[in-house]
């Protein structure tokens, strides 16, 4: 029997999701906008099998422990219930993303799992419904259903908080990902944003500011105004990190090489190369640039970083079914 594998690409937010208004339903406190990348993705298959004792989850060919499997089981139950299925499942997932290194591997992971569960349960969900389901796995996964630039609309309730495609980003857009380190980060995004929402005096200012950033960046994308889009991206990311510095205890994901990378971006801009940085819940730095400039920028970074730390990504596509 041909095994159906679902591929989902990770995405990097230009307007950040940082904070929930509902933890259980993973409803965000603000809307966000991201770029789906081609270079990082997760392939996942789900097969129901009554000969299994219980859900069996392999990640990168390694059998996962009870905690990780329970998280997947809970998510799968969202699909089993409407499908009237109670059988255990074999879940096989392969991450082509440095896992939990601030490269939002949960985005591609949960989106691919949603797609694979949809196939296994024969639910024939629409992309919008897939986005609603993926959100229940991880907020950033909401956006990986689509390619290019994608907006996750915060919505008013669980039924209308989903992503919509904005633009296919095929106008000389690229991203250089600088992997400062790919170790598992100490504080997950989920914990980091919860602590920030609950304790940072800067959080309300962030919410007012990011709503306006989203409006402005969509105008810039519509006009293909790369500089404006980059300026808003860099500013929005720094404001997110600013909220963390005001949390109790203060939180920072930055490492010395993160600052080296940011300084180099500023230097390149002074030299006339249009590029802007953004960071997530990890030390890695993502450089938004023209695709036609990406090799030149990578060469400059290669003077201070190892080549394997530097990955050029093009805009990626949305959820895709592969047949092995
Ligand atoms: O991607 C962004 O908008 C910004 C971040 O990457 C961090 F900078 C947040 C990702 O949060 P996620 O892992 O999706 O959290 P969950 O909903 O608690 O699983």
């Amino acid at each position: 029997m041909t095994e159906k594998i679902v591929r989902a690409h990770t995405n990097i937010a230009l307007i950040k999701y940082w904070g929930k208004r509902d933890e259980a339903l993973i409803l965000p406190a603000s809307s966000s906008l991201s770029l789906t990348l081609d270079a990082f993705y997760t392939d996942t298959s789900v097969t129901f099998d009554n000969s299994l004792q219980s859900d069996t989850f392999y990640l990168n060919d390694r059998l996962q422990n009870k905690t990780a499997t329970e998280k997947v089981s809970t998510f799968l139950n969202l699909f089993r219930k409407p499908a009237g299925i109670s059988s255990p499942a074999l879940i096989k997932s392969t991450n082509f993303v440095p896992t939990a290194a601030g490269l939002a591997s949960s985005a591609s992971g949960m989106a691919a799992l949603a797609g694979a569960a949809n196939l296994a349960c024969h639910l024939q969900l629409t992309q919008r419904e897939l986005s609603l389901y993926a959100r229940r796995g991880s907020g950033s996964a909401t956006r990986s259903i689509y390619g290019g630039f994608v907006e996750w609309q915060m919505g008013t309730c669980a039924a209308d908080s989903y992503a919509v495609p904005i633009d296919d980003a095929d106008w000389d857009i690229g991203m250089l990902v600088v992997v400062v380190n790919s170790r598992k980060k100490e504080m997950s995004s989920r914990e980091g944003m919860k602590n920030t929402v609950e304790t940072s005096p800067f959080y309300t200012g962030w919410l007012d500011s990011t709503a306006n950033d989203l409006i402005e960046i969509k105008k810039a994308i519509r006009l293909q105004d790369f500089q404006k889009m980059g300026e808003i991206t860099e500013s929005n990311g720094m404001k997110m990190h600013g909220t963390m510095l005001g949390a109790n205890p203060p939180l920072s994901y930055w490492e010395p090489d993160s600052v080296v990378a940011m300084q180099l971006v500023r230097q390149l801009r002074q030299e006339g190369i249009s590029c802007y940085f953004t960071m997530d819940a990890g030390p890695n730095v993502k450089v938004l640039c023209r695709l036609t400039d990406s090799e030149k920028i990578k060469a400059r970074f290669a003077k201070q970083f190892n080549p394997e730390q530097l990955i050029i990504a093009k805009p990626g596509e949305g959820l895709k079914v592969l047949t092995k």
Side-chain angles (χ1 to χ4, degrees):
M1 183 178 77
T2 50
E3 187 186 34
K4 285 202 186 295
I5 294 170
V6 173
R7 177 168 295 179
H9 291 80
T10 197
N11 66 76
I12 298 298
L14 308 186
I15 303 297
K16 302 296 187 185
Y17 151 55
W18 190 248
K20 299 178 180 69
R21 65 181 195 272
D22 182 311
E23 290 284 331
L25 292 172
I26 305 195
L27 293 176
S30 60
S31 296
S32 58
L33 183 139
S34 61
L35 175 64
T36 302
L37 299 182
D38 71 336
F40 308 104
Y41 54 88
T42 301
D43 286 351
T44 300
S45 67
V46 170
T47 316
F48 290 111
D49 178 349
N50 282 317
S51 68
L52 291 170
Q53 294 304 311
S54 60
D55 286 343
T56 307
F57 174 32
Y58 287 91
L59 175 60
N60 300 335
D61 293 328
R62 277 201 307 275
L63 184 62
Q64 297 300 293
N65 64 24
K66 194 163 174 292
T67 312
T69 305
E70 272 172 3
K71 189 177 168 191
V72 167
S73 297
T74 305
F75 186 67
L76 272 186
N77 289 339
L78 296 174
F79 297 81
R80 278 191 273 234
K81 193 157 175 281
I85 294 172
S86 55
S87 316
L90 172 61
I91 307 101
K92 292 192 286 185
S93 214
T94 306
N95 259 343
F96 297 86
V97 178
T99 299
L103 279 178
S105 55
S106 66
S108 57
M110 281 299 172
L113 183 57
N118 173 44
L119 285 186
C121 293
H122 306 290
L123 289 175
Q124 296 180 318
L125 297 171
T126 63
Q127 285 182 301
R128 176 171 293 183
E129 287 166 332
L130 274 170
S131 184
L132 285 167
Y133 273 89
R135 192 199 76 233
R136 301 290 301 278
S138 179
S140 51
T142 313
R143 304 180 306 232
S144 279
I145 303 300
Y146 298 103
F149 290 117
V150 181
E151 177 186 355
W152 173 15
Q153 297 173 341
M154 65 183 286
T156 59
C157 63
D160 67 357
S161 181
Y162 49 72
V164 293
I166 295 292
D167 176 285
D168 51 16
D170 69 347
W171 38 283
D172 194 15
I173 302 290
M175 191 168 267
L176 172 71
V177 176
V178 184
V179 183
V180 170
N181 81 51
S182 57
R183 286 191 306 275
K184 192 166 169 52
K185 55 189 183 254
E186 61 294 333
M187 170 79 75
S188 72
S189 313
R190 191 160 296 187
E191 294 163 80
M193 65 173 78
K194 188 167 187 295
N195 179 46
T196 303
V197 170
E198 289 170 354
T199 65
S200 177
F202 305 148
Y203 194 69
T204 48
W206 155 256
L207 287 181
D208 298 340
S209 174
T210 194
N212 186 56
D213 286 349
L214 178 65
I215 293 165
E216 291 307 314
I217 206 168
K218 290 202 305 188
K219 283 183 201 163
I221 289 171
R222 207 169 23 251
L223 296 170
Q224 298 192 355
D225 181 343
F226 182 83
Q227 181 179 329
K228 187 85 183 137
M229 177 178 71
E231 288 168 352
I232 297 167
T233 296
E234 192 165 294
S235 163
N236 188 267
M238 292 297 259
K239 286 180 281 190
M240 177 187 74
H241 286 276
T243 64
M244 297 182 210
L245 296 177
N248 181 22
L251 171 62
S252 174
Y253 290 98
W254 297 9
E255 294 186 9
D257 274 352
S258 311
V259 180
V260 168
M262 290 191 267
Q263 297 287 35
L264 182 48
V265 168
R266 294 190 186 102
Q267 171 64 36
L268 290 171
R269 258 206 314 271
Q270 279 171 5
E271 295 171 15
I273 301 175
S274 195
C275 53
Y276 301 86
F277 59 77
T278 188
M279 288 182 65
D280 293 296
N284 301 322
V285 177
K286 293 92 180 189
V287 184
L288 183 65
C289 62
R290 291 296 192 181
L291 195 53
T292 42
D293 288 339
S294 56
E295 288 296 348
K296 180 170 34 174
I297 294 169
K298 183 178 175 182
R300 287 294 294 275
F301 270 80
K303 294 191 175 115
Q304 303 183 69
F305 293 89
N306 301 323
E308 63 273 10
Q309 292 178 277
L310 306 171
I311 305 156
I312 291 174
K314 300 183 181 72
E317 52 187 348
L319 215 55
K320 192 165 71 173
V321 178
L322 315 172
T323 308
K324 207 168 178 178

